[in-house]
C-alpha cells in the first residue's frame, strides 16, 4: 500500500493493486489504485495485459510468495522492473523465465525503501502532514493484551499493519 501511495503521489497514471483480500482492494482504490485485481477471480497476468496492453513498467511484490514474483515478472513491459519487498525466507525459490530477462527486465530486492532513513522519514512525515501520504489508513492500534487479536487481524487481512501499544 505504501508503494501504491507513492505511485499516486508521483502521478504514475495507471496503478494496479493485486490482492486476495477484498477489503484491501477497497482500501487500495481509496488510496489511488485505478484498477484492482483479485487473483481468486481472474488470471493476474492476462488481466494486467488487458489493462496495459504492453505490461507494467514497475511492479512491487510485498507478499514474499514465489508465484507472485513470477506473475510480476511475466506482467512487465520491456525494460520493466520488479521490486520485491516481501519477507521470503532464505532459500525460497521463484520460477523465472530466463528469456524474459533478456528483454531488459529486472528483479531487485528492496529493504526499507533503499533510502537514507534520516532523510526519507522526515519527507514522509511532511507528506503525511499535508495529506499526501495517509499511512494512518494502514495501521490499527491494539493494547498489549490484544496481541493475539492483532496477529489474527493481520493474518486474516483485516489490518495491514497492527501496532501494539505497551
Amino acid at each position: 500500500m505504501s508503494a501504491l501511495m507513492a505511485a499516486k503521489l508521483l502521478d504514475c497514471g495507471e496503478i494496479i493493486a493485486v490482492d486476495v483480500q477484498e477489503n484491501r482492494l477497497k482500501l487500495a482504490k481509496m488510496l489511488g489504485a485505478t484498477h484492482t485485481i483479485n487473483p481468486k477471480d481472474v488470471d493476474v497476468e492476462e488481466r494486467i495485459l488487458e489493462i496495459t496492453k504492453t505490461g507494467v513498467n514497475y511492479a512491487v511484490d510485498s507478499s514474499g510468495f514465489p508465484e507472485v514474483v513470477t506473475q510480476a515478472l511475466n506482467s512487465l513491459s520491456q525494460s520493466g522492473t520488479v521490486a520485491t519487498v516481501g519477507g521470503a525466507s532464505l532459500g525460497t525459490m521463484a520460477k523465472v523465465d530466463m528469456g524474459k530477462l533478456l528483454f531488459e527486465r529486472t528483479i531487485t530486492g528492496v529493504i526499507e525503501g533503499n533510502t537514507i532513513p534520516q532523510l526519507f522519514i522526515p519527507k514522509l512525515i511532511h507528506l503525511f502532514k499535508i495529506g499526501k501520504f495517509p499511512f494512518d489508513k494502514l495501521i490499527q492500534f491494539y493494547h498489549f493484551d490484544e496481541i493475539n487479536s492483532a496477529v489474527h487481524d493481520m493474518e486474516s487481512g483485516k489490518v495491514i499493519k497492527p501496532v501494539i501499544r505497551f
Side-chain angles (χ1 to χ4, degrees):
M1 293 292 178
S2 295
L4 184 151
M5 289 188 290
K8 169 81 171 151
L9 184 64
L10 295 171
D11 203 18
C12 287
E14 291 183 318
I15 303 168
I16 304 168
V18 180
D19 205 300
V20 295
Q21 300 287 338
E22 286 299 326
N23 60 320
R24 289 196 293 228
L25 291 173
K26 184 177 175 183
L27 177 61
K29 279 293 246 189
M30 186 177 80
L31 294 174
T34 57
H35 301 82
T36 59
I37 300 172
N38 188 329
K40 293 179 182 175
D41 301 333
V42 296
D43 180 279
V44 173
E45 295 171 37
E46 285 180 15
R47 182 67 184 119
I48 288 173
L49 288 176
E50 283 175 17
I51 295 166
T52 64
K53 308 299 182 236
T54 60
V56 295
N57 296 327
Y58 301 96
V60 177
D61 161 51
S62 62
S63 73
F65 294 125
E67 59 272 14
V68 174
V69 173
T70 301
Q71 287 175 334
L73 176 65
N74 292 341
S75 299
L76 291 178
S77 62
Q78 186 168 339
S79 301
T81 299
V82 174
T84 181
V85 299
S89 357
L90 290 176
T92 303
M93 305 298 278
K95 185 177 177 182
V96 174
D97 178 345
M98 298 296 290
K100 296 261 184 195
L101 296 177
L102 293 176
F103 293 94
E104 301 175 18
R105 291 176 177 96
T106 303
I107 302 173
T108 188
V110 178
I111 296 176
E112 298 178 3
N114 283 1
T115 65
I116 300 169
Q118 295 84 347
L119 301 176
F120 191 58
I121 292 173
K123 287 181 184 179
L124 291 178
I125 292 169
H126 172 72
L127 291 169
F128 171 73
K129 285 181 177 178
I130 63 172
K132 294 191 174 197
F133 195 72
F135 74 87
D136 58 324
K137 305 270 190 252
L138 308 181
I139 62 176
Q140 183 169 324
F141 292 97
Y142 295 82
H143 293 288
F144 183 71
D145 62 348
E146 300 173 302
I147 193 166
N148 291 335
S149 295
V151 171
H152 177 267
D153 290 351
M154 180 184 64
E155 289 175 344
S156 72
K158 181 179 175 184
V159 173
I160 306 289
K161 296 286 182 190
V163 176
I164 307 298
R165 288 184 172 156
F166 290 89

